[in-house]
Amino acid sequence: MSSPTGPDGGIVLGEVRTGLIRHARSFTESEATRLLTLVHGKTARYTDYPRPVVISPESLTGLDCPLPTARGRNVRGVGTAVSGAVLNGGRVLQSYARTTLVPGTHGRRHNWSHYLARPGIVESLKRLDADDVAAGFAGQGRGRPGIDLGAVAARTMASVQASRALDGDPPVNAAVVSWRWALVRAAPGSRAPVRLTVVDDHTRLLLLNSDEHDTDDVMGLILDFALHDWLLSTVEDVVARADLESEASDRALRRLRPVLVHLLHHWMPAARVGDDLLPVFEALDRARGLSRRWDNAVRRIRDRFRLAEIQSVAAATAESRALRLKVEELLVRPGRGSALPEGIRRVGSGEDR
């Protein structure tokens, strides 16, 4: 995914939000391309390998706000963030916002023309401590709030979901999950490369340390992992609400069917991640237990459908056997009762004439 992110360096902050498009069916390529043409005069891009994806053109948002710091320092930043949207398989919608923080020049604010010439860059007006800002943005501490990239990503998602092309009737009730992340440029091997925190069902925090990966590649990694984390969370939630241990199998199957039809086939982890970032993806996979939990959830769903099929065949066999016994009883003792099961006539009794 190319974007006007400016030069690599400093610290990169971003947020990704993932949810289900509010529509009853998947969008086709042409429909999705029109839906994600969010910037006048620029067309969304489509790719079908390794899975169909439509990517919107990116927008710029001006920022002039405090920077988040774990130690509560008062540092102001001015510049722009880039944002956009991605529609996976015509069904799963992601929005994102990110910016690269760099030290400013002369410790003063410039005219907006200066910042617009450097899209996706925010300059700090005081000394920039990358670790402190990364911990304040994507760490667990409260620190000093600032630079709300989540609001930018949420606004992009809301603009897509508000389109008149959507019927507002998604097949599955699914929450939006947010991934807030920070990439710090660091010396190789100087610290743990990945630190993941699951705050709650809707929020993940991710700290990355690397000096060798391109920002666009890291962005692609996080979009891919956020997509699969959302798929897992949504499917597990549906399985939990379906109450698979209950005897009310019809209700459970009605709740599970949309998962089979609309979600399972989107699972293709790391399909859009480069070889150099695969170790990072695998580390995240281990931390979340992503693949193991997915395999277990899918197995439970398919086992429930197989069990329902076996029960259906058994019930049909039992019904057929009971009907055959009833007919045999009536034929052997024709004097008992005159009513035969619907569609069956007593041969030789006059009812066949």
Side-chain angles (χ1 to χ4, degrees):
M1 180 182 301
S2 63
S3 63
T5 56
D8 276 342
I11 171 176
V12 186
L13 307 181
E15 182 145 342
V16 171
R17 297 201 170 196
T18 307
L20 192 67
I21 195 79
R22 295 184 59 77
H23 198 62
R25 61 170 177 80
S26 299
F27 276 78
T28 65
E29 173 192 343
S30 59
E31 291 172 336
T33 302
R34 287 195 297 272
L35 182 68
L36 291 198
T37 301
L38 304 177
V39 179
H40 181 70
K42 295 183 179 180
T43 305
R45 295 182 292 116
Y46 171 80
T47 176
D48 63 355
Y49 184 82
R51 62 170 179 265
V53 173
V54 173
I55 304 166
S56 78
E58 293 186 323
S59 303
L60 285 182
T61 299
L63 301 171
D64 185 347
C65 57
L67 298 181
T69 69
R71 298 203 300 268
R73 295 177 62 230
N74 185 15
V75 182
R76 181 184 173 191
V78 185
T80 60
V82 293
S83 60
V86 178
L87 188 59
N88 300 274
R91 172 57 72 190
V92 185
L93 177 65
Q94 294 183 289
S95 63
Y96 65 89
R98 70 175 182 194
T99 191
T100 300
L101 305 185
V102 299
T105 55
H106 308 301
R108 63 178 179 84
R109 190 188 190 285
H110 298 278
N111 294 326
W112 274 112
S113 58
H114 168 81
Y115 302 107
L116 292 174
R118 310 185 72 193
I121 302 290
V122 165
E123 297 181 0
S124 67
L125 302 190
K126 288 185 179 179
R127 188 179 67 85
L128 187 64
D129 184 330
D131 290 333
D132 187 27
V133 172
F137 185 75
Q140 292 180 283
R142 295 183 178 180
R144 181 184 177 87
I147 199 164
D148 192 356
L149 295 177
V152 180
R155 188 174 62 208
T156 300
M157 175 169 280
S159 69
V160 176
Q161 297 283 34
S163 169
R164 293 182 178 180
L166 276 62
D167 60 20
D169 187 25
V172 179
N173 291 323
V176 173
V177 177
S178 169
W179 276 73
R180 192 183 311 156
W181 59 277
L183 171 64
V184 179
R185 299 299 179 186
S190 60
R191 69 198 85 180
V194 182
R195 191 171 74 194
L196 170 65
T197 303
V198 178
V199 178
D200 53 35
D201 291 343
H202 309 288
T203 308
R204 323 308 190 207
L205 305 175
L206 180 64
L207 286 172
L208 296 166
N209 291 277
S210 172
D211 70 336
E212 57 185 8
H213 301 306
D214 181 79
T215 300
D216 289 336
D217 293 339
V218 172
M219 184 80 231
L221 163 78
I222 294 171
L223 283 168
D224 195 283
F225 201 87
L227 165 66
H228 291 86
D229 178 67
W230 178 87
L231 283 169
L232 174 64
S233 300
T234 302
V235 169
E236 286 187 336
D237 181 59
V238 173
V239 169
R241 286 188 283 114
D243 190 13
L244 300 189
E245 296 179 358
S246 114
E247 294 297 326
S249 59
D250 289 346
R251 185 175 59 186
L253 297 180
R254 282 198 302 272
R255 289 185 172 179
L256 293 176
R257 185 177 182 280
V259 170
L260 280 175
V261 175
H262 297 281
L263 296 183
L264 294 193
H265 61 285
H266 293 290
W267 184 262
M268 197 180 295
R272 298 178 63 82
V273 176
D275 291 343
D276 57 335
L277 279 169
L278 276 179
V280 179
F281 190 97
E282 291 166 355
L284 289 171
D285 191 344
R286 287 193 299 273
R288 286 286 287 147
L290 200 71
S291 297
R292 288 183 286 109
R293 291 167 58 191
W294 177 264
D295 291 342
N296 183 57
V298 172
R299 186 166 49 246
R300 291 191 69 191
I301 293 172
R302 290 179 174 161
D303 285 350
R304 194 66 184 83
F305 275 94
R306 289 193 188 99
L307 178 59
E309 183 180 6
I310 292 171
Q311 290 173 330
S312 177
V313 171
T317 302
E319 183 179 357
S320 175
R321 183 171 181 274
L323 180 61
R324 189 177 67 253
L325 292 175
K326 179 67 174 177
V327 170
E328 291 174 354
E329 180 183 6
L330 291 172
L331 292 178
V332 171
R333 293 190 297 175
R336 293 188 58 187
S338 58
L340 284 174
E342 184 178 354
I344 298 178
R345 292 177 297 178
R346 183 178 290 117
V347 178
S349 64
E351 295 180 12
D352 58 333
R353 290 191 294 271

